[in-house]
Amino acid sequence: MTDPDDGPPEGDAAVVTKTRPKTQKPPLYKVLLLNDDYTPMEFVVHVLERFFGMTHAQSFEIMLVVHKRGVAVVGVFSHEIAETKVAQVMDFARRHQHPLQCTMEKEE
């Protein structure tokens, strides 16, 4: 009689291999701030600090890029997070009566 704790008898050992399907990473989305002629620069800096966790210095640099180039990427996120950030920024700007625009686009 064999002890069940001994495992399978010699010669009966089977090799089990499991293959996992490769999962694709979800696409990422860039969140963009667009320049306008009316939103104060300090408001843009405040938005970057509040919603994107940037330091004052980082926020100021990005704000200048938006001001000079007309647009800047302020973060790259999953679809849901990017969508939420855009909605938060747009709502905050509207509540403060600024025409600041924030959009998102799929990263390539």
Side-chain angles (χ1 to χ4, degrees):
M1 193 151 134
T2 60
D3 187 356
D5 294 336
D6 286 344
E10 289 292 321
D12 287 349
V15 177
V16 178
T17 59
K18 290 183 181 179
T19 57
R20 283 186 174 174
K22 285 194 176 185
T23 54
Q24 286 186 325
K25 290 184 180 178
L28 294 175
Y29 291 80
K30 297 185 281 191
V31 175
L32 308 163
L33 271 187
L34 308 175
N35 189 42
D36 65 72
D37 294 332
Y38 304 101
T39 304
M41 291 179 175
E42 266 311 307
F43 184 79
V44 175
V45 169
H46 180 68
V47 163
L48 293 168
E49 290 171 348
R50 180 173 178 158
F51 297 106
F52 298 95
M54 296 181 189
T55 65
H56 187 75
Q58 290 169 323
S59 298
F60 192 82
E61 278 186 47
I62 297 288
M63 175 275 298
L64 286 177
V65 171
V66 172
H67 182 68
K68 291 176 183 174
R69 296 191 184 156
V71 65
V73 175
V74 295
V76 179
F77 308 96
S78 69
H79 185 271
E80 293 77 17
I81 294 174
E83 206 170 47
T84 300
K85 298 269 187 200
V86 168
Q88 289 173 328
V89 170
M90 295 296 291
D91 181 57
F92 190 71
R94 243 182 263 115
R95 281 189 285 129
H96 288 84
Q97 300 178 343
H98 295 300
L100 182 65
Q101 294 293 301
C102 186
T103 62
M104 62 187 261
E105 65 182 40
K106 196 171 183 177
E107 192 175 52
E108 296 180 25

mmCIF file of all heavy atoms in Angstrom, residues 54-95:
data_model
loop_
_atom_site.group_PDB
_atom_site.id
_atom_site.type_symbol
_atom_site.label_atom_id
_atom_site.label_comp_id
_atom_site.label_asym_id
_atom_site.label_seq_id
_atom_site.Cartn_x
_atom_site.Cartn_y
_atom_site.Cartn_z
ATOM 1 N N MET A 54 1.269 68.582 -9.623
ATOM 2 C CA MET A 54 2.571 69.174 -9.952
ATOM 3 C C MET A 54 2.988 70.182 -8.896
ATOM 4 O O MET A 54 2.143 70.774 -8.222
ATOM 5 C CB MET A 54 2.501 69.872 -11.314
ATOM 6 C CG MET A 54 2.238 68.948 -12.466
ATOM 7 S SD MET A 54 2.218 69.880 -14.015
ATOM 8 C CE MET A 54 1.639 68.618 -15.141
ATOM 9 N N THR A 55 4.288 70.388 -8.795
ATOM 10 C CA THR A 55 4.793 71.445 -7.915
ATOM 11 C C THR A 55 4.499 72.790 -8.584
ATOM 12 O O THR A 55 4.155 72.848 -9.772
ATOM 13 C CB THR A 55 6.316 71.325 -7.714
ATOM 14 O OG1 THR A 55 6.957 71.562 -8.967
ATOM 15 C CG2 THR A 55 6.703 69.968 -7.164
ATOM 16 N N HIS A 56 4.672 73.848 -7.824
ATOM 17 C CA HIS A 56 4.444 75.181 -8.391
ATOM 18 C C HIS A 56 5.395 75.432 -9.569
ATOM 19 O O HIS A 56 4.973 75.949 -10.607
ATOM 20 C CB HIS A 56 4.620 76.261 -7.318
ATOM 21 C CG HIS A 56 4.242 77.624 -7.801
ATOM 22 N ND1 HIS A 56 2.924 78.012 -7.959
ATOM 23 C CD2 HIS A 56 4.999 78.685 -8.199
ATOM 24 C CE1 HIS A 56 2.891 79.254 -8.424
ATOM 25 N NE2 HIS A 56 4.131 79.689 -8.572
ATOM 26 N N ALA A 57 6.655 75.033 -9.431
ATOM 27 C CA ALA A 57 7.646 75.243 -10.494
ATOM 28 C C ALA A 57 7.280 74.449 -11.749
ATOM 29 O O ALA A 57 7.336 74.981 -12.874
ATOM 30 C CB ALA A 57 9.039 74.855 -10.013
ATOM 31 N N GLN A 58 6.886 73.181 -11.574
ATOM 32 C CA GLN A 58 6.483 72.360 -12.723
ATOM 33 C C GLN A 58 5.258 72.961 -13.404
ATOM 34 O O GLN A 58 5.196 73.042 -14.637
ATOM 35 C CB GLN A 58 6.141 70.933 -12.272
ATOM 36 C CG GLN A 58 7.315 70.106 -11.812
ATOM 37 C CD GLN A 58 6.861 68.812 -11.136
ATOM 38 O OE1 GLN A 58 5.858 68.780 -10.411
ATOM 39 N NE2 GLN A 58 7.620 67.759 -11.365
ATOM 40 N N SER A 59 4.301 73.376 -12.591
ATOM 41 C CA SER A 59 3.063 73.962 -13.122
ATOM 42 C C SER A 59 3.350 75.229 -13.906
ATOM 43 O O SER A 59 2.764 75.457 -14.972
ATOM 44 C CB SER A 59 2.097 74.281 -11.977
ATOM 45 O OG SER A 59 1.747 73.117 -11.297
ATOM 46 N N PHE A 60 4.248 76.041 -13.393
ATOM 47 C CA PHE A 60 4.591 77.293 -14.067
ATOM 48 C C PHE A 60 5.234 77.002 -15.428
ATOM 49 O O PHE A 60 4.900 77.642 -16.432
ATOM 50 C CB PHE A 60 5.530 78.127 -13.185
ATOM 51 C CG PHE A 60 5.688 79.528 -13.668
ATOM 52 C CD1 PHE A 60 4.734 80.499 -13.366
ATOM 53 C CD2 PHE A 60 6.784 79.897 -14.440
ATOM 54 C CE1 PHE A 60 4.866 81.805 -13.824
ATOM 55 C CE2 PHE A 60 6.924 81.202 -14.905
ATOM 56 C CZ PHE A 60 5.961 82.154 -14.598
ATOM 57 N N GLU A 61 6.130 76.009 -15.471
ATOM 58 C CA GLU A 61 6.785 75.649 -16.736
ATOM 59 C C GLU A 61 5.780 75.159 -17.772
ATOM 60 O O GLU A 61 5.819 75.572 -18.933
ATOM 61 C CB GLU A 61 7.830 74.549 -16.502
ATOM 62 C CG GLU A 61 9.153 75.065 -15.997
ATOM 63 C CD GLU A 61 10.189 73.949 -15.912
ATOM 64 O OE1 GLU A 61 10.311 73.179 -16.887
ATOM 65 O OE2 GLU A 61 10.860 73.858 -14.870
ATOM 66 N N ILE A 62 4.883 74.282 -17.350
ATOM 67 C CA ILE A 62 3.870 73.750 -18.276
ATOM 68 C C ILE A 62 2.943 74.872 -18.744
ATOM 69 O O ILE A 62 2.577 74.941 -19.913
ATOM 70 C CB ILE A 62 3.051 72.619 -17.614
ATOM 71 C CG1 ILE A 62 3.947 71.437 -17.270
ATOM 72 C CG2 ILE A 62 1.892 72.180 -18.505
ATOM 73 C CD1 ILE A 62 4.432 70.613 -18.431
ATOM 74 N N MET A 63 2.561 75.749 -17.835
ATOM 75 C CA MET A 63 1.704 76.880 -18.195
ATOM 76 C C MET A 63 2.368 77.721 -19.286
ATOM 77 O O MET A 63 1.713 78.154 -20.232
ATOM 78 C CB MET A 63 1.407 77.732 -16.954
ATOM 79 C CG MET A 63 0.617 78.996 -17.222
ATOM 80 S SD MET A 63 1.602 80.425 -17.734
ATOM 81 C CE MET A 63 2.652 80.685 -16.335
ATOM 82 N N LEU A 64 3.687 77.933 -19.175
ATOM 83 C CA LEU A 64 4.393 78.705 -20.203
ATOM 84 C C LEU A 64 4.406 77.979 -21.546
ATOM 85 O O LEU A 64 4.284 78.612 -22.596
ATOM 86 C CB LEU A 64 5.823 79.013 -19.755
ATOM 87 C CG LEU A 64 5.965 80.082 -18.668
ATOM 88 C CD1 LEU A 64 7.429 80.248 -18.266
ATOM 89 C CD2 LEU A 64 5.390 81.417 -19.131
ATOM 90 N N VAL A 65 4.519 76.649 -21.516
ATOM 91 C CA VAL A 65 4.459 75.868 -22.758
ATOM 92 C C VAL A 65 3.078 76.044 -23.397
ATOM 93 O O VAL A 65 2.967 76.282 -24.601
ATOM 94 C CB VAL A 65 4.761 74.364 -22.502
ATOM 95 C CG1 VAL A 65 4.492 73.535 -23.750
ATOM 96 C CG2 VAL A 65 6.198 74.188 -22.042
ATOM 97 N N VAL A 66 2.022 75.941 -22.595
ATOM 98 C CA VAL A 66 0.655 76.133 -23.107
ATOM 99 C C VAL A 66 0.541 77.532 -23.710
ATOM 100 O O VAL A 66 0.004 77.704 -24.809
ATOM 101 C CB VAL A 66 -0.398 75.949 -21.989
ATOM 102 C CG1 VAL A 66 -1.784 76.330 -22.477
ATOM 103 C CG2 VAL A 66 -0.389 74.519 -21.467
ATOM 104 N N HIS A 67 1.063 78.520 -23.003
ATOM 105 C CA HIS A 67 0.966 79.913 -23.448
ATOM 106 C C HIS A 67 1.718 80.146 -24.763
ATOM 107 O O HIS A 67 1.204 80.811 -25.664
ATOM 108 C CB HIS A 67 1.520 80.830 -22.353
ATOM 109 C CG HIS A 67 1.433 82.283 -22.686
ATOM 110 N ND1 HIS A 67 0.230 82.952 -22.773
ATOM 111 C CD2 HIS A 67 2.405 83.198 -22.951
ATOM 112 C CE1 HIS A 67 0.472 84.215 -23.099
ATOM 113 N NE2 HIS A 67 1.776 84.391 -23.197
ATOM 114 N N LYS A 68 2.919 79.589 -24.877
ATOM 115 C CA LYS A 68 3.758 79.839 -26.060
ATOM 116 C C LYS A 68 3.410 78.958 -27.257
ATOM 117 O O LYS A 68 3.442 79.415 -28.396
ATOM 118 C CB LYS A 68 5.238 79.637 -25.705
ATOM 119 C CG LYS A 68 5.773 80.696 -24.760
ATOM 120 C CD LYS A 68 7.208 80.408 -24.367
ATOM 121 C CE LYS A 68 7.715 81.445 -23.369
ATOM 122 N NZ LYS A 68 9.049 81.106 -22.862
ATOM 123 N N ARG A 69 3.102 77.695 -27.002
ATOM 124 C CA ARG A 69 2.852 76.741 -28.105
ATOM 125 C C ARG A 69 1.378 76.520 -28.402
ATOM 126 O O ARG A 69 1.032 75.900 -29.399
ATOM 127 C CB ARG A 69 3.511 75.405 -27.807
ATOM 128 C CG ARG A 69 5.021 75.505 -27.735
ATOM 129 C CD ARG A 69 5.647 74.145 -27.703
ATOM 130 N NE ARG A 69 7.099 74.271 -27.527
ATOM 131 C CZ ARG A 69 7.865 73.337 -27.023
ATOM 132 N NH1 ARG A 69 7.331 72.190 -26.650
ATOM 133 N NH2 ARG A 69 9.154 73.521 -26.895
ATOM 134 N N GLY A 70 0.528 76.959 -27.478
ATOM 135 C CA GLY A 70 -0.906 76.801 -27.692
ATOM 136 C C GLY A 70 -1.487 75.529 -27.100
ATOM 137 O O GLY A 70 -2.699 75.413 -26.948
ATOM 138 N N VAL A 71 -0.641 74.572 -26.758
ATOM 139 C CA VAL A 71 -1.106 73.308 -26.185
ATOM 140 C C VAL A 71 0.056 72.619 -25.480
ATOM 141 O O VAL A 71 1.211 72.817 -25.860
ATOM 142 C CB VAL A 71 -1.710 72.382 -27.280
ATOM 143 C CG1 VAL A 71 -0.656 71.954 -28.277
ATOM 144 C CG2 VAL A 71 -2.416 71.189 -26.685
ATOM 145 N N ALA A 72 -0.274 71.830 -24.456
ATOM 146 C CA ALA A 72 0.758 71.028 -23.778
ATOM 147 C C ALA A 72 0.115 69.770 -23.211
ATOM 148 O O ALA A 72 -1.041 69.788 -22.771
ATOM 149 C CB ALA A 72 1.419 71.820 -22.655
ATOM 150 N N VAL A 73 0.878 68.695 -23.232
ATOM 151 C CA VAL A 73 0.453 67.455 -22.577
ATOM 152 C C VAL A 73 0.714 67.634 -21.090
ATOM 153 O O VAL A 73 1.831 67.957 -20.688
ATOM 154 C CB VAL A 73 1.243 66.241 -23.126
ATOM 155 C CG1 VAL A 73 0.875 64.977 -22.352
ATOM 156 C CG2 VAL A 73 1.007 66.057 -24.615
ATOM 157 N N VAL A 74 -0.316 67.431 -20.287
ATOM 158 C CA VAL A 74 -0.155 67.613 -18.842
ATOM 159 C C VAL A 74 -0.167 66.290 -18.083
ATOM 160 O O VAL A 74 0.022 66.265 -16.873
ATOM 161 C CB VAL A 74 -1.217 68.582 -18.278
ATOM 162 C CG1 VAL A 74 -1.003 69.968 -18.851
ATOM 163 C CG2 VAL A 74 -2.619 68.091 -18.565
ATOM 164 N N GLY A 75 -0.380 65.181 -18.805
ATOM 165 C CA GLY A 75 -0.339 63.869 -18.176
ATOM 166 C C GLY A 75 -0.769 62.791 -19.144
ATOM 167 O O GLY A 75 -1.400 63.084 -20.163
ATOM 168 N N VAL A 76 -0.415 61.554 -18.831
ATOM 169 C CA VAL A 76 -0.803 60.394 -19.633
ATOM 170 C C VAL A 76 -1.411 59.374 -18.677
ATOM 171 O O VAL A 76 -0.783 58.996 -17.686
ATOM 172 C CB VAL A 76 0.404 59.791 -20.386
ATOM 173 C CG1 VAL A 76 -0.013 58.582 -21.191
ATOM 174 C CG2 VAL A 76 1.050 60.840 -21.285
ATOM 175 N N PHE A 77 -2.636 58.953 -18.986
ATOM 176 C CA PHE A 77 -3.403 58.127 -18.059
ATOM 177 C C PHE A 77 -4.214 57.073 -18.800
ATOM 178 O O PHE A 77 -4.362 57.135 -20.017
ATOM 179 C CB PHE A 77 -4.396 59.004 -17.263
ATOM 180 C CG PHE A 77 -3.775 60.187 -16.600
ATOM 181 C CD1 PHE A 77 -3.792 61.438 -17.209
ATOM 182 C CD2 PHE A 77 -3.169 60.077 -15.360
ATOM 183 C CE1 PHE A 77 -3.223 62.543 -16.593
ATOM 184 C CE2 PHE A 77 -2.595 61.175 -14.739
ATOM 185 C CZ PHE A 77 -2.620 62.406 -15.357
ATOM 186 N N SER A 78 -4.801 56.157 -18.031
ATOM 187 C CA SER A 78 -5.775 55.228 -18.606
ATOM 188 C C SER A 78 -6.986 56.053 -19.054
ATOM 189 O O SER A 78 -7.150 57.209 -18.639
ATOM 190 C CB SER A 78 -6.207 54.196 -17.558
ATOM 191 O OG SER A 78 -6.973 54.824 -16.542
ATOM 192 N N HIS A 79 -7.842 55.449 -19.868
ATOM 193 C CA HIS A 79 -9.001 56.171 -20.417
ATOM 194 C C HIS A 79 -9.861 56.771 -19.313
ATOM 195 O O HIS A 79 -10.225 57.951 -19.368
ATOM 196 C CB HIS A 79 -9.836 55.238 -21.292
ATOM 197 C CG HIS A 79 -10.960 55.937 -21.978
ATOM 198 N ND1 HIS A 79 -12.206 56.067 -21.409
ATOM 199 C CD2 HIS A 79 -11.014 56.573 -23.172
ATOM 200 C CE1 HIS A 79 -12.983 56.746 -22.230
ATOM 201 N NE2 HIS A 79 -12.290 57.065 -23.309
ATOM 202 N N GLU A 80 -10.180 55.976 -18.302
ATOM 203 C CA GLU A 80 -11.087 56.433 -17.245
ATOM 204 C C GLU A 80 -10.491 57.597 -16.454
ATOM 205 O O GLU A 80 -11.179 58.568 -16.151
ATOM 206 C CB GLU A 80 -11.429 55.284 -16.281
ATOM 207 C CG GLU A 80 -12.259 54.184 -16.888
ATOM 208 C CD GLU A 80 -11.466 53.238 -17.785
ATOM 209 O OE1 GLU A 80 -10.202 53.210 -17.704
ATOM 210 O OE2 GLU A 80 -12.086 52.528 -18.600
ATOM 211 N N ILE A 81 -9.226 57.497 -16.128
ATOM 212 C CA ILE A 81 -8.583 58.563 -15.353
ATOM 213 C C ILE A 81 -8.462 59.830 -16.197
ATOM 214 O O ILE A 81 -8.750 60.930 -15.721
ATOM 215 C CB ILE A 81 -7.223 58.107 -14.795
ATOM 216 C CG1 ILE A 81 -7.453 57.005 -13.760
ATOM 217 C CG2 ILE A 81 -6.451 59.278 -14.194
ATOM 218 C CD1 ILE A 81 -6.205 56.354 -13.228
ATOM 219 N N ALA A 82 -8.067 59.684 -17.466
ATOM 220 C CA ALA A 82 -7.955 60.847 -18.353
ATOM 221 C C ALA A 82 -9.308 61.537 -18.490
ATOM 222 O O ALA A 82 -9.406 62.772 -18.402
ATOM 223 C CB ALA A 82 -7.432 60.416 -19.719
ATOM 224 N N GLU A 83 -10.347 60.749 -18.677
ATOM 225 C CA GLU A 83 -11.698 61.295 -18.816
ATOM 226 C C GLU A 83 -12.112 62.067 -17.564
ATOM 227 O O GLU A 83 -12.689 63.160 -17.642
ATOM 228 C CB GLU A 83 -12.656 60.119 -19.044
ATOM 229 C CG GLU A 83 -13.914 60.444 -19.782
ATOM 230 C CD GLU A 83 -14.655 59.176 -20.165
ATOM 231 O OE1 GLU A 83 -14.825 58.266 -19.320
ATOM 232 O OE2 GLU A 83 -15.058 59.103 -21.331
ATOM 233 N N THR A 84 -11.792 61.508 -16.409
ATOM 234 C CA THR A 84 -12.116 62.162 -15.137
ATOM 235 C C THR A 84 -11.349 63.471 -14.983
ATOM 236 O O THR A 84 -11.926 64.486 -14.584
ATOM 237 C CB THR A 84 -11.799 61.218 -13.954
ATOM 238 O OG1 THR A 84 -12.585 60.035 -14.100
ATOM 239 C CG2 THR A 84 -12.092 61.873 -12.620
ATOM 240 N N LYS A 85 -10.061 63.462 -15.309
ATOM 241 C CA LYS A 85 -9.237 64.681 -15.203
ATOM 242 C C LYS A 85 -9.799 65.779 -16.097
ATOM 243 O O LYS A 85 -9.912 66.935 -15.685
ATOM 244 C CB LYS A 85 -7.784 64.396 -15.577
ATOM 245 C CG LYS A 85 -7.095 63.404 -14.675
ATOM 246 C CD LYS A 85 -6.419 64.081 -13.533
ATOM 247 C CE LYS A 85 -5.590 63.076 -12.736
ATOM 248 N NZ LYS A 85 -5.305 63.558 -11.412
ATOM 249 N N VAL A 86 -10.133 65.424 -17.340
ATOM 250 C CA VAL A 86 -10.690 66.409 -18.282
ATOM 251 C C VAL A 86 -11.983 66.993 -17.708
ATOM 252 O O VAL A 86 -12.165 68.222 -17.694
ATOM 253 C CB VAL A 86 -10.934 65.779 -19.673
ATOM 254 C CG1 VAL A 86 -11.762 66.699 -20.552
ATOM 255 C CG2 VAL A 86 -9.614 65.445 -20.345
ATOM 256 N N ALA A 87 -12.857 66.139 -17.205
ATOM 257 C CA ALA A 87 -14.131 66.611 -16.649
ATOM 258 C C ALA A 87 -13.902 67.514 -15.442
ATOM 259 O O ALA A 87 -14.551 68.563 -15.302
ATOM 260 C CB ALA A 87 -14.999 65.417 -16.259
ATOM 261 N N GLN A 88 -12.958 67.141 -14.566
ATOM 262 C CA GLN A 88 -12.669 67.956 -13.381
ATOM 263 C C GLN A 88 -12.161 69.341 -13.769
ATOM 264 O O GLN A 88 -12.602 70.350 -13.215
ATOM 265 C CB GLN A 88 -11.629 67.261 -12.496
ATOM 266 C CG GLN A 88 -12.138 66.047 -11.774
ATOM 267 C CD GLN A 88 -11.024 65.312 -11.042
ATOM 268 O OE1 GLN A 88 -9.876 65.291 -11.477
ATOM 269 N NE2 GLN A 88 -11.367 64.690 -9.929
ATOM 270 N N VAL A 89 -11.231 69.377 -14.714
ATOM 271 C CA VAL A 89 -10.641 70.658 -15.134
ATOM 272 C C VAL A 89 -11.708 71.529 -15.802
ATOM 273 O O VAL A 89 -11.822 72.724 -15.495
ATOM 274 C CB VAL A 89 -9.434 70.440 -16.078
ATOM 275 C CG1 VAL A 89 -8.986 71.749 -16.709
ATOM 276 C CG2 VAL A 89 -8.281 69.790 -15.314
ATOM 277 N N MET A 90 -12.484 70.932 -16.697
ATOM 278 C CA MET A 90 -13.513 71.708 -17.409
ATOM 279 C C MET A 90 -14.564 72.250 -16.431
ATOM 280 O O MET A 90 -14.973 73.405 -16.529
ATOM 281 C CB MET A 90 -14.181 70.841 -18.478
ATOM 282 C CG MET A 90 -13.240 70.420 -19.595
ATOM 283 S SD MET A 90 -12.628 71.809 -20.570
ATOM 284 C CE MET A 90 -14.120 72.283 -21.399
ATOM 285 N N ASP A 91 -14.970 71.433 -15.480
ATOM 286 C CA ASP A 91 -15.962 71.862 -14.491
ATOM 287 C C ASP A 91 -15.396 72.980 -13.615
ATOM 288 O O ASP A 91 -16.067 73.982 -13.371
ATOM 289 C CB ASP A 91 -16.386 70.666 -13.632
ATOM 290 C CG ASP A 91 -17.436 71.050 -12.609
ATOM 291 O OD1 ASP A 91 -18.501 71.556 -13.015
ATOM 292 O OD2 ASP A 91 -17.194 70.841 -11.393
ATOM 293 N N PHE A 92 -14.162 72.809 -13.165
ATOM 294 C CA PHE A 92 -13.510 73.815 -12.319
ATOM 295 C C PHE A 92 -13.370 75.139 -13.063
ATOM 296 O O PHE A 92 -13.651 76.210 -12.515
ATOM 297 C CB PHE A 92 -12.143 73.276 -11.879
ATOM 298 C CG PHE A 92 -11.465 74.096 -10.828
ATOM 299 C CD1 PHE A 92 -11.938 74.131 -9.524
ATOM 300 C CD2 PHE A 92 -10.312 74.813 -11.131
ATOM 301 C CE1 PHE A 92 -11.294 74.882 -8.543
ATOM 302 C CE2 PHE A 92 -9.662 75.557 -10.161
ATOM 303 C CZ PHE A 92 -10.154 75.594 -8.865
ATOM 304 N N ALA A 93 -12.947 75.086 -14.326
ATOM 305 C CA ALA A 93 -12.790 76.302 -15.135
ATOM 306 C C ALA A 93 -14.147 76.994 -15.326
ATOM 307 O O ALA A 93 -14.254 78.216 -15.190
ATOM 308 C CB ALA A 93 -12.162 75.969 -16.486
ATOM 309 N N ARG A 94 -15.174 76.206 -15.627
ATOM 310 C CA ARG A 94 -16.513 76.775 -15.823
ATOM 311 C C ARG A 94 -17.017 77.452 -14.554
ATOM 312 O O ARG A 94 -17.570 78.558 -14.610
ATOM 313 C CB ARG A 94 -17.493 75.666 -16.245
ATOM 314 C CG ARG A 94 -18.066 75.902 -17.624
ATOM 315 C CD ARG A 94 -19.075 74.840 -18.038
ATOM 316 N NE ARG A 94 -18.402 73.838 -18.863
ATOM 317 C CZ ARG A 94 -18.223 72.562 -18.540
ATOM 318 N NH1 ARG A 94 -18.690 72.081 -17.415
ATOM 319 N NH2 ARG A 94 -17.599 71.751 -19.340
ATOM 320 N N ARG A 95 -16.819 76.768 -13.404
ATOM 321 C CA ARG A 95 -17.285 77.337 -12.137
ATOM 322 C C ARG A 95 -16.575 78.646 -11.802
ATOM 323 O O ARG A 95 -17.112 79.484 -11.095
ATOM 324 C CB ARG A 95 -17.106 76.332 -10.995
ATOM 325 C CG ARG A 95 -18.213 75.287 -10.987
ATOM 326 C CD ARG A 95 -18.184 74.404 -9.752
ATOM 327 N NE ARG A 95 -17.083 73.441 -9.871
ATOM 328 C CZ ARG A 95 -16.158 73.244 -8.930
ATOM 329 N NH1 ARG A 95 -16.179 73.917 -7.812
ATOM 330 N NH2 ARG A 95 -15.204 72.353 -9.113
#
